[in-house]
Amino acid sequence: MARRVLRAGALAGVAFVWLSGAVWADEARRIAFSFDDAPRADGPLLSGAERAETLVSGMARAGIDGAAFFVLTQSIDQQRDGAARLRAYVEAGHVLANHTHTHPWLRDTDPATYLADIDRATEMLDGFDNVVPYFRYPYLDEGDTRDKRLAVVAGLESRGLQNAYVTVDTYDWYMQALVNEAVEAGHPLDMDRLRDVYVEVLVETVEFYDALAVETLGRHPDHVLLLHENDLAALFVEDLARVLREDGWDIIPAADAYADPIAETRPDTQFNGQGRVAAIAHAGGASPRELVSPWEDEAALRARFLANGLLPEEGSSQ
């Protein structure tokens, strides 16, 4: 299959170029899957329990091992069978990690309060197996000031927690919001077309950040893909993995990805919302507008859904 690549030199113009599979063919490209905000509430297509079962079986068929689930611990008791769903992920060979208790923005929180929220999550995770010492910032928000960022970094280090950065940020959460909107409007969904749009958007986003990594680092790092534990992930994870492999990617456990040298690279920047590679590029002088995938834009995604008949046309009635 031809490889979809966004040339890093044309990032500002967001122009996609199709290159032959021979490009970079001698270099391994590896990516790990991670899922934020588990266990989430029932969705419009699947209940929480159905989602967990579908996601576990889909990853098993796809050969995805050691995925990381970042747990929002207030949801364990709030969601029906929340603890059982997390244990299902563990029993399938995946790992759990800390995503705070209440999902605060660090920019709106003082470091002491923020770290206390992390501590509460740690206490709640003590009752589970396969909990790894990773912490992922909600919203990838590492604070609005350097002092605040460094205070939390010091707090994480004192607790033995590693920053579970991502290298591929996505707006999968907004695609799920668009599906919610369509279902609420009574709009019939073509599930094959929805699958294709979901997978295409995510693969194009992976290629964007990998091209950025090659231009910034001179190599392909082991990537960490940010997804959310939502209906779309459960329904289409197997398809996403298949297309990534067709495009030359190996899918690896999160623990392997976090052994990449960029885990030790801590760019001195507040521009962290697009992940570690974009932060490194920004610290090196790149403009923020060059560092954000074109599919991290709500208007662009809405237009793509509309063009594919996945939303009702404005003004139409169902």
Side-chain angles (χ1 to χ4, degrees):
M1 171 181 266
R3 181 173 292 174
R4 291 174 278 271
V5 177
L6 178 59
R7 299 295 292 178
L11 293 177
V14 295
F16 281 93
V17 179
W18 288 81
L19 301 179
S20 75
V23 176
W24 302 330
D26 58 341
E27 299 181 41
R29 300 206 300 170
R30 312 197 321 161
I31 192 165
F33 280 51
S34 69
F35 302 88
D36 279 9
D37 299 350
R40 293 171 67 92
D42 293 349
L45 305 177
L46 299 169
S47 70
E50 290 169 335
R51 183 190 309 124
E53 181 180 357
T54 302
L55 189 50
V56 165
S57 61
M59 287 196 290
R61 289 191 300 271
I64 299 172
D65 299 318
F69 286 83
F70 290 89
V71 180
L72 181 60
T73 55
Q74 69 176 359
S75 298
I76 294 174
D77 294 330
Q78 289 176 350
Q79 303 307 325
R80 181 175 64 254
D81 301 325
R85 287 154 53 188
L86 295 180
R87 292 192 173 98
Y89 297 137
V90 168
E91 290 168 4
H94 307 294
V95 299
L96 307 180
N98 193 317
H99 195 42
T100 72
H101 182 66
T102 62
H103 209 270
W105 288 92
L106 179 51
R107 69 190 188 195
D108 297 330
T109 312
D110 66 86
T113 301
Y114 193 84
L115 290 165
D117 200 70
I118 293 170
D119 290 340
R120 186 172 182 191
T122 296
E123 291 172 1
M124 292 191 69
L125 287 171
D126 280 345
F128 294 87
D129 296 327
N130 282 20
V131 176
V132 292
Y134 302 154
F135 170 73
R136 178 163 294 163
Y137 290 83
Y139 312 104
L140 303 183
D141 168 35
E142 298 189 25
D144 54 335
T145 68
R146 185 174 187 271
D147 286 347
K148 185 181 287 188
R149 171 168 54 85
L150 294 179
V152 172
V153 166
L156 294 177
E157 290 179 347
S158 71
R159 289 161 172 78
L161 291 173
Q162 175 181 341
N163 181 345
Y165 60 84
V166 307
T167 61
V168 180
D169 186 35
T170 75
Y171 264 31
D172 73 314
W173 59 271
Y174 188 67
M175 287 193 282
Q176 180 67 61
L178 292 175
V179 169
N180 297 358
E181 179 182 329
V183 171
E184 289 171 5
H187 184 69
L189 284 172
D190 182 329
M191 296 303 290
D192 289 339
R193 185 164 293 182
L194 176 60
R195 175 201 62 216
D196 291 346
V197 169
Y198 176 82
V199 171
E200 288 166 4
V201 165
L202 292 179
V203 171
E204 289 166 14
T205 304
V206 168
E207 297 289 3
F208 177 97
Y209 284 108
D210 188 51
L212 175 62
V214 169
E215 180 153 304
T216 302
L217 308 173
R219 68 182 181 90
H220 304 281
D222 287 346
H223 285 280
V224 180
L225 173 65
L226 172 58
L227 299 172
H228 289 79
E229 191 237 39
N230 58 31
D231 291 358
L232 291 179
L235 291 168
F236 303 134
V237 67
E238 186 177 1
D239 302 284
L240 175 59
R242 173 182 53 78
V243 174
L244 285 169
R245 286 199 174 98
E246 289 172 354
D247 281 3
W249 289 91
D250 292 332
I251 299 174
I252 62 174
D256 290 358
Y258 284 127
D260 190 276
I262 63 170
E264 303 303 323
T265 303
R266 300 175 182 178
D268 190 7
T269 176
Q270 298 307 121
F271 185 83
N272 294 292
Q274 271 62 52
R276 179 60 58 90
V277 168
I280 293 170
H282 183 261
S287 169
R289 70 175 179 272
E290 299 178 351
L291 305 177
V292 182
S293 161
W295 298 119
E296 290 174 87
D297 180 272
E298 294 180 15
L301 285 170
R302 178 173 290 276
R304 190 156 180 172
F305 269 58
L306 282 166
N308 282 275
L310 297 172
L311 285 172
E313 294 290 340
E314 292 185 9
S316 68
S317 60
Q318 297 297 322

